Structure formats: C-alpha cells, structure tokens
Amino acid sequence: MLNILGNQTAIKKREGYLGIYVHFPFCIQKCSYCDFYSIGNGISKKLEEKNIFSSYKTEILNRIESFPEIQSLKVDSLFFGGGTPSRMDNNLLNELIHFLRSQFQFEDDIEMSIESNPEDITESILNDWNQIGINRVNMGYQTQNPQYLELVGRYYDSEQYKIAPLLLANSKIENYGFDLIYGFPNQTEEEFYSDLEFLLQYKPNHLSLYSLTLEKGTEYSRQVKDRVKLPPNEDLQIKLLETLPGKMQDLGYKWYEVSNYCKLGFESRHNLKYWTMEKYLAIGPGAHGFINSKRYSNPRNLEAYTKHPGKSNWEESDPIPELLLSLFRIFKPIDMNSFINEFPIQAQKKFLTQLNKFQDQDYCKIRSDGIFQWQRSAILNLDNLIFELNQAIRDH
C-alpha cells in the first residue's frame, strides 16, 4: 500500500463539535490591503470597544434561541479575530469567556486562540491571557521592513516590532505563531527570507505565509488601479509558492494548507473547521458562520450590528462546491471517503474518477483505502484543478 501519511494523521470528517469565532473589528488604523471588516480608530481605546461586548452576549443568546441544538455540541475551539483583538479589554474578555462557558460545553483541551499585533504585546498582557485561558497566540507580523508596512498603510512601532516576538516566545503560552506577507512591490527573495529567518529564531509552532493580494474594494486595490502604487510582485510570489513547501519541510514544518505550516500536531484546530466544513458560530460585525448546512453573515457595519445583534443574511449551502472550495486547500492527507459518502453514488464515482486522473498527471496521490493528498506540483494549478473537478461532477 502506498504510504502517503508519513507521520501525519489523515483528516476525517467530524460531527458533534462546534467552533466559536468572535470578531473584534477595531484597529489602530486599517491596512490598505485588508478585506476584513475593521475600523481604524486610533491608538487610544474608545468606549465603543467596550460597548461591543454586550452586543456579543445578545447575539450569542439569539443564536442559541434560534439553534438550541448547538448547546449540545462540544466546543473545542474558540478564536478571537479581527481587526485587532489584542486591543480587547482583558477584564471584558475574561467575562465573555466565562459567559460562553456558561452557555456551551467546552472541551477540557479547547484551543483558545487570539490574534495579536506587535504593538499590543507586553509581558503583562501575555500573563493576563495565560490566566484567562488563552493558550494559542498568532501574531500578525507581516514584515520587519518599514517601507513595505508603510506601503500598505500598516501601523508600525519600530521598538515593538523588535521585542514583541521575544516577549511572546518567553511567555507561558507555548503555542504561538506568526503571519508573514510576501510579494510586496519590488520585494526581493532575500528580503522575504530575512523576515522568515528573524522569526524562526523564536521557534514558533505555526507560520502563515501569505502572498499580498489585490482584494476588490480595498484601498490598495484602488491605488494600484489608479497607478498610485505598484501591484504585488507576482514573479516572487510564484517562485515562493513553488519553493517554500520544500524549504519549510527542511526546517521541520509540515505544509498543511496552501499558506500554512506548522510543527507536527500544531495545526490551527479552529481554521481546520473552515476547511473541513465543521459547524462554527461566528459572533460580531462582519463575522461569517456555518450552522446546520447554512451560512450566515453579519452586517459589515458597527451601528447596524449593535442595533440588532444576531440579525444576519442566510444562504443554503451546496455541499459539493463547498467541499471543493474548502477541503481542497488542504495539503495534509485526507480520508476522502468520510467526506463524500453522503453524496449521490453517481457524484461519488465522478469525483473519484477525476481524482484518479489527477493522480495520473502526478498532481496527487490516492491510496486504495481512499486516503488522498495533493502533491506539491498541484500548488500553481490548484484553482484550475478545483474547477476541473467541479466541472467533472456537474457536466456528466
């Protein structure tokens, strides 16, 4: 039997679990490339940043009233994202976590994550998070090069950028990681690897390495369209997409999603829910959730959200395209049968036939027991391969 697992465990479809995401939209200033709902409101914290916590609780109770069955699910991930949730008032954060515990069944080994920016990291705040129960921190570092940070409108405190990774590495929170962005206009390969090497010295468990993208409606996208700023460096992005998986493996990091690498066993449990179509509750303005095969989105407007917490736009989920657009971002081994066994028989056959064609083209490996894994050769053609797979299922 072909061994494509190595020392990794194949991902299987799971039932009975729930993730919870809380969106904190406030930032010191909004980055020009950012497509998430966020509000740049300056360095000093504002009253609205405290008031939003009462809206969170109202939305949570509204969700439970609409879907009481979610209280019987096991919550094994809680993720505070944004925006910049490291700006949260820790007393209010602690109170919210206790409120969530009172409403849901938290697993003993729950992964409790918070996103942070370097400017917020102090020894005191890290100790507070540890006491509260935060056991995973992800720092949006992006680059240590100030000209690239300024190019995309990111707030930058030079001293904090120097010391924040060290403070995090020396804290009691042992599960931590960093985000880096590559492909800034005129950025060189050497500059990116300088950023990477700087962060590797702090021995993170997780690294998210994202290419700079032009997201529709963002300020950076408009600036490029108006020729005020240069577009991302696509040549560098292509080269790094091809070479990073091998380099990161040599450094001891598993490639488990298009842009994500980790030490063995340190995948983001919460993010895997998005890619494997598990249920997750999303709280806050601009947040997106997935419950009972339905997707919902909260208004991308603070006033509208706080006026009616829990009022959302809903849409039915079509499981086949959902599967294609989420599961096939994963580069870990996947127990494919566990994900497609509820599809119509004909759809299953078409699905597996097309995957076997991809194997013949050396884009993937498939074991006789249905364990599937993309090869590195698939990365530059991934969107096209997913499109072909969708067409094969729909057109026959």
Side-chain angles (χ1 to χ4, degrees):
M1 183 181 290
L2 178 66
N3 179 19
I4 61 173
L5 287 173
N7 53 3
Q8 301 184 78
T9 303
I11 291 175
K12 293 185 177 182
K13 185 174 177 62
R14 299 196 314 164
E15 299 290 350
Y17 292 90
L18 179 73
I20 300 175
Y21 172 81
V22 180
H23 190 75
F24 188 77
F26 306 102
C27 298
I28 291 178
Q29 67 187 43
K30 184 176 177 66
C31 300
S32 63
Y33 64 86
C34 179
D35 188 40
F36 294 104
Y37 176 64
S38 57
I39 302 167
N41 62 354
I43 293 177
S44 61
K45 297 180 181 180
K46 308 297 191 296
L47 182 61
E48 60 189 4
E49 297 185 41
K50 295 185 176 182
N51 291 343
I52 198 171
F53 284 84
S54 62
S55 298
Y56 289 154
K57 293 178 182 178
T58 301
E59 183 185 355
I60 291 162
L61 293 175
N62 286 339
R63 297 292 179 214
I64 292 171
E65 183 178 0
S66 299
F67 301 96
E69 65 274 17
I70 62 178
Q71 287 186 296
S72 66
L73 301 174
K74 299 174 182 177
V75 177
D76 64 346
S77 73
L78 172 58
F79 194 103
F80 295 96
T84 311
S86 51
R87 286 173 61 90
M88 284 180 164
D89 180 293
N90 280 339
N91 291 323
L92 293 173
L93 174 60
N94 189 30
E95 185 182 322
L96 178 62
I97 292 172
H98 279 287
F99 177 76
L100 286 165
R101 284 187 178 275
S102 74
Q103 301 298 319
F104 296 99
Q105 298 182 36
F106 275 34
E107 291 281 82
D108 290 340
D109 68 341
I110 183 172
E111 174 191 270
M112 207 175 294
S113 305
I114 192 166
E115 292 180 334
S116 68
N117 281 0
E119 58 267 18
D120 298 319
I121 297 300
T122 64
E123 186 176 343
S124 174
I125 199 170
L126 289 166
N127 286 334
D128 286 348
W129 287 346
N130 180 61
Q131 291 294 320
I132 288 170
I134 298 293
N135 54 25
R136 183 176 181 275
V137 178
N138 197 76
M139 183 186 293
Y141 199 82
Q142 318 313 7
T143 176
Q144 59 181 337
N145 193 318
Q147 69 169 321
Y148 298 139
L149 293 170
E150 290 167 9
L151 180 134
V152 295
R154 186 173 179 81
Y155 178 81
Y156 174 73
D157 182 318
S158 59
E159 286 305 308
Q160 280 297 111
Y161 260 72
K162 292 175 185 176
I163 66 172
L166 179 61
L167 292 173
L168 182 54
N170 288 340
S171 76
K172 294 179 180 179
I173 300 173
E174 297 179 356
N175 190 0
Y176 58 91
F178 302 105
D179 291 356
L180 279 179
I181 292 178
Y182 61 87
F184 294 98
N186 296 323
Q187 185 185 27
T188 66
E189 187 176 3
E190 291 73 24
E191 286 175 321
F192 168 74
Y193 279 113
S194 174
D195 286 341
L196 182 59
E197 288 167 10
F198 172 73
L199 293 180
L200 284 172
Q201 68 181 310
Y202 301 108
K203 297 179 170 50
N205 298 309
H206 193 280
L207 285 161
S208 296
L209 308 177
Y210 299 112
S211 58
L212 180 65
T213 55
L214 292 174
E215 299 292 343
K216 186 178 179 181
T218 62
E219 180 63 20
Y220 179 52
S221 179
R222 288 189 289 269
Q223 290 170 335
V224 170
K225 183 179 179 180
D226 294 339
R227 299 186 179 182
V228 175
K229 290 184 178 176
L230 293 172
N233 183 344
E234 290 188 3
D235 290 340
L236 177 61
Q237 291 177 342
I238 291 171
K239 184 171 185 179
L240 290 176
L241 272 174
E242 289 182 305
T243 59
L244 271 173
K247 288 183 179 293
M248 294 304 293
Q249 180 173 303
D250 292 342
L251 291 166
Y253 290 86
K254 298 292 182 183
W255 185 32
Y256 76 97
E257 190 270 343
V258 172
S259 303
N260 287 281
Y261 301 83
C262 67
K263 295 288 188 180
L264 185 63
F266 284 94
E267 297 91 347
S268 168
R269 183 187 296 174
H270 187 82
N271 285 346
L272 278 174
K273 290 182 183 294
Y274 300 154
W275 302 321
T276 58
M277 298 173 64
E278 285 191 25
K279 296 179 180 68
Y280 56 92
L281 195 65
I283 305 300
H288 295 253
F290 184 60
I291 302 175
N292 294 352
S293 299
K294 293 181 180 179
R295 293 203 173 274
Y296 70 87
S297 58
N298 288 342
R300 292 170 62 96
N301 179 282
L302 181 63
E303 184 178 353
Y305 171 75
T306 53
K307 191 174 182 179
H308 299 290
K311 184 177 181 181
S312 310
N313 293 318
W314 289 84
E315 61 180 32
E316 292 288 339
S317 170
D318 187 333
I320 292 178
E322 285 274 3
L323 188 77
L324 296 177
L325 293 172
S326 53
L327 187 67
F328 285 93
R329 289 179 55 88
I330 296 175
F331 279 75
K332 278 174 64 74
I334 300 167
D335 184 344
M336 195 58 66
N337 291 328
S338 72
F339 287 93
I340 68 172
N341 60 8
E342 294 180 2
F343 289 178
I345 295 297
Q346 275 303 105
Q348 291 185 41
K349 289 180 178 178
K350 294 170 185 174
F351 200 92
L352 295 173
T353 297
Q354 187 62 38
L355 290 184
N356 280 308
K357 289 181 180 178
F358 291 161
Q359 180 170 233
D360 293 340
Q361 296 168 320
D362 202 32
Y363 286 126
C364 67
K365 295 292 184 184
I366 307 172
R367 289 197 332 192
S368 59
D369 58 357
I371 303 298
F372 164 94
Q373 187 174 21
W374 285 122
Q375 297 277 69
R376 292 180 196 168
S377 56
I379 185 61
L380 293 182
N381 294 299
L382 195 58
D383 289 341
N384 290 333
L385 294 172
I386 291 172
F387 177 78
E388 287 179 34
L389 188 51
N390 186 51
Q391 288 297 105
I393 297 170
R394 297 296 188 190
D395 291 350
H396 289 78

